[in-house]
Amino acid sequence: MLPKLINLTLYLVIKEVDSVLEDCPKQAYQAAFSIQQWRHKLINCVLNQIPNYYTIIKDMKDLPEDPTILYRCPEEQSILKALIYKSMAEVLQQNSESISGDIVQEQSSNNY
C-alpha cells in the first residue's frame, strides 16, 4: 500500500465541528450545516484561519481514534471551538438567503 498524505488538522476540525453542532440548536445551526455544501464551507472557513498539520501514513488505521490528542495544550481546543462558532455565524450571515432556500428544499424533500 502506498503512503498517503493526511491533513491532521482537517481530521480534527471535522470532529470538533460535529461536537459543536451537537450542542447547537437544531433549527438554526444543525439544519444549515447538515447540508453538505454549507458544512464544507464551514470547515474550509475554519481551516483557512489556522495552521494545518500533515502526516504521511500507510494505513488509515494509523490515524488516532481520538483526534483531540493532536492538541498541544488544553487551550487549543477552546480556541478552535470559539473559531468554529465564529465561522458558523459568518457563513450563516454571508449566505443566509441561499442557506434558507436549501433548508426549505431539504425539508420539503424529506416530507415526500
Side-chain angles (χ1 to χ4, degrees):
M1 179 175 267
L2 292 173
K4 296 178 183 173
L5 181 66
I6 302 294
N7 183 337
L8 293 173
T9 309
L10 172 62
Y11 180 57
L12 181 63
V13 168
I14 288 170
K15 296 289 184 182
E16 290 296 352
V17 164
D18 290 344
S19 172
V20 166
L21 285 173
E22 286 178 12
D23 297 334
C24 288
K26 181 168 178 56
Q27 190 59 32
Y29 294 99
Q30 289 182 11
F33 296 112
S34 68
I35 299 168
Q36 206 63 22
Q37 171 187 357
W38 302 114
R39 184 180 193 79
H40 284 228
K41 192 161 188 81
L42 170 62
I43 291 168
N44 189 46
C45 183
V46 173
L47 286 172
N48 285 333
Q49 298 180 65
I50 58 177
N52 283 247
Y53 299 99
Y54 296 84
T55 191
I56 296 176
I57 61 171
K58 289 187 178 187
D59 193 339
M60 293 303 280
K61 293 183 292 187
D62 296 335
L63 281 175
E65 287 184 31
D66 180 11
T68 60
I69 67 166
L70 301 172
Y71 291 118
R72 291 177 299 206
C73 64
E75 293 79 26
E76 282 187 351
Q77 186 171 21
S78 298
I79 292 167
L80 180 57
K81 286 189 176 203
L83 183 58
I84 291 169
Y85 280 110
K86 177 179 167 266
S87 297
M88 287 168 55
E90 287 175 8
V91 170
L92 287 173
Q93 182 180 15
Q94 293 169 358
N95 303 281
S96 60
E97 288 182 26
S98 297
I99 291 172
S100 295
D102 289 347
I103 290 172
V104 169
Q105 184 178 1
E106 181 90 8
Q107 289 172 343
S108 64
S109 69
N110 287 339
N111 291 334
Y112 290 107

